[in-house]
Amino acid sequence: MPSRKLSLIPPYLFAELDKKIDAAKAQGRDIINLGIGDPDLPTPKLIVDAMQQAVADPETHNYPPYRGTQAFRQAVSQWMKTRFGVTIDPESEALSLIGSKEGIAHLILAYADPDDIVLAPSPGYPVYHNFTLLAGAKPHTLPLLAENHFLPDYDAIPTSIAERAKLLFLNYPNNPTGAIASMEFMEKTIAFCKRHQILLCHDNAYSEMTFDNYKAPSFLSISGAKDICIEMFSLSKMYNMTGWRVGFAVGNAEAISALGLIKNNCDSGVFKAIQKAAIAGLDHSESLLQDLNAIYARRRNIFVNGLNTLGWQFKPNSATFYLWIPVPPGFTDPQFAELLLEKCNIVVAPGSGYGEAGKGFFRVALTQPDKRIEEAIQRLKTHEIRFDMGKQVTQVS
């Protein structure tokens, strides 16, 4: 029989969405999928060209170094210095990852013993909560509320919980809410973690997906942060590389070493050809991102403007390609997501899939071309889906 721990894990949100999409498509329906954050745009040609050259080189065909190639770690170090002004020792403070999702899960194994506490945001990336349960530790939920700009309230954490906590997970720019964090909040977070000797893991997967002249900071740019912080980056959303599975962790040397020890026993590293391609992306990051972010900003504006003609009063966020939108009064978020699927053939993610505090919201991923986003808005208008619908909840079959 499988481990009892598996019974603690709810169905993975994105796997469930995939099932609904497949079933609808099997019926011949034209589905506009705004549910999953998988970019529709191709990986930039510069990166693909580097990969094609690297994969033909027999030197890339053997096992990679567990920590990542020296060239990759040096490229990461240079990128951190150029992008954030943060100095990273490529020998002791940088580690390649098979995507940040893998790094998050393995960090929990490295730090959380049974019955230890992990502080995890809600709404939040499901891996923080679910893998804590798989590790036998106890997640303590930090509600991210609209009235607090989707930032956690550290004063609301009981001292008894804070003193038992081993890890704190944060993610700004935030998935699913699109919220951003100020330098003042970051300084407060570092002070909180130092006071209670908690390792901060900042999941910075969306640092480069920003608009309106906003540039996301790094927690490691705060003085003394490296004493208590590890930061994880993913190239998935930076350069439309979700399927490539490559990212990196930087920061506290002890945490990097502990994470590396777990990884040494669980995986064999990132294919060296992928690391070479990733270096090409990091070395040309600014030029690659300019066009990508202009596309996502335009899509954001199309959808937000459309929403606001339908009774929402939604302010566009400055980062990520997600929109975190309140459902109309009288609906739960699963009911509203079901309504959009059945009436409009539009897939969105119900907010409660990201945790208890996500109830009452739905997430839109801007991973469709402009024309499809415009069509999605038109379908809402055609079926009179408005924020001020003023109708009682009805079960959507």
Side-chain angles (χ1 to χ4, degrees):
M1 293 290 291
S3 167
R4 289 190 299 273
K5 288 184 289 189
L6 296 185
S7 65
L8 302 174
I9 307 301
Y12 193 59
L13 172 63
F14 303 119
E16 293 301 303
L17 284 175
D18 278 343
K19 290 179 183 178
K20 290 189 175 185
I21 294 166
D22 289 343
K25 286 182 176 179
Q27 298 169 8
R29 293 159 60 186
D30 178 24
I31 299 298
I32 300 178
N33 183 4
L34 304 176
I36 299 175
D38 191 2
D40 61 303
L41 300 167
T43 304
K45 184 177 184 298
L46 178 147
I47 296 174
V48 174
D49 288 347
M51 178 65 174
Q52 290 174 332
Q53 183 177 353
V55 80
D57 181 359
E59 290 297 317
T60 67
H61 297 176
N62 55 0
Y63 282 122
Y66 284 104
R67 296 183 299 154
T69 65
Q70 185 176 39
F72 178 75
R73 288 181 282 111
Q74 287 175 337
V76 164
S77 177
Q78 182 58 53
W79 184 81
M80 289 294 296
K81 185 68 174 178
T82 301
R83 173 64 176 83
F84 299 109
V86 172
T87 300
I88 293 294
D89 181 354
E91 297 303 315
S92 63
E93 297 175 343
L95 184 71
S96 67
L97 300 175
I98 309 173
S100 55
K101 182 178 183 178
E102 168 264 306
I104 290 164
H106 282 152
L107 187 70
I108 294 170
L109 285 182
Y111 270 81
D113 290 316
D115 295 326
D116 280 342
I117 288 176
V118 172
L119 303 176
S122 173
Y125 189 38
V127 177
Y128 311 142
H129 179 275
N130 292 352
F131 208 87
T132 295
L133 294 174
L134 287 175
K138 299 183 182 301
H140 179 82
T141 297
L142 304 182
L144 306 184
L145 305 177
E147 55 264 34
N148 199 34
H149 307 289
F150 300 110
L151 299 171
D153 179 4
Y154 298 129
D155 294 335
I157 302 173
T159 301
S160 60
I161 295 294
E163 290 179 349
R164 289 177 54 202
K166 297 289 288 292
L167 279 166
L168 165 62
F169 281 102
L170 292 179
N171 164 226
Y172 294 100
N174 184 258
N175 173 24
T177 70
I180 58 177
S182 67
M183 297 296 285
E184 180 183 7
F185 171 79
M186 292 163 63
E187 290 170 352
K188 183 177 181 179
T189 299
I190 296 299
F192 169 80
C193 288
K194 285 191 172 187
R195 185 162 62 250
H196 297 286
Q197 287 301 293
I198 299 169
L199 178 68
L200 168 63
C201 178
H202 182 227
D203 175 9
N204 211 351
Y206 298 91
S207 66
E208 305 312 287
M209 191 177 285
T210 58
F211 322 114
D212 308 327
N213 298 316
Y214 173 72
K215 296 287 281 187
S218 163
F219 272 78
L220 291 172
S221 66
I222 302 297
S223 177
K226 210 183 286 184
D227 296 340
I228 206 75
C229 178
I230 184 173
E231 202 157 28
M232 296 192 184
F233 292 85
S234 169
L235 276 67
S236 290
K237 309 301 167 63
M238 282 189 198
Y239 315 127
N240 303 327
M241 295 176 70
T242 51
W244 297 60
R245 308 318 304 142
V246 59
F248 56 89
V250 289
N252 180 268
E254 182 180 55
I256 293 290
S257 177
L259 175 57
L261 182 59
I262 293 291
K263 285 176 56 59
N264 291 351
N265 287 278
C266 293
D267 66 66
S268 296
V270 179
F271 181 29
K272 286 194 284 187
I274 291 178
Q275 293 187 59
K276 285 192 171 188
I279 291 169
L282 292 169
D283 286 350
H284 298 85
S285 188
E286 188 169 348
S287 62
L288 294 177
L289 291 168
Q290 186 173 1
D291 289 343
L292 291 177
N293 284 341
I295 290 169
Y296 289 130
R298 187 172 65 244
R299 293 178 180 182
R300 175 202 63 174
N301 293 341
I302 292 169
F303 203 93
V304 169
N305 290 339
L307 274 183
N308 290 341
T309 66
L310 292 166
W312 274 268
Q313 295 180 343
F314 189 86
K315 294 182 179 179
N317 40 290
S318 301
T320 79
F321 57 8
Y322 301 123
L323 303 176
W324 187 243
I325 306 165
V327 303
F331 286 88
T332 67
D333 51 281
Q335 286 171 339
F336 188 67
E338 191 74 11
L339 176 70
L340 293 187
L341 178 59
E342 294 304 321
K343 295 289 187 182
C344 305
N345 288 325
I346 296 172
V347 173
V348 299
S352 53
Y354 298 91
E356 183 74 13
K359 288 183 176 180
F361 291 84
F362 66 100
R363 193 194 76 173
V364 163
L366 300 170
T367 51
Q368 294 287 332
D370 293 15
K371 292 295 185 185
R372 293 291 274 174
I373 292 175
E374 290 170 353
E375 183 176 347
I377 292 295
Q378 185 56 52
R379 290 184 188 183
L380 296 180
K381 292 178 178 179
T382 298
H383 293 280
E384 300 183 339
I385 307 296
R386 300 179 53 86
F387 184 71
D388 50 0
M389 292 164 73
K391 60 190 290 187
Q392 297 298 314
V393 173
T394 57
Q395 281 300 120
V396 180
S397 59

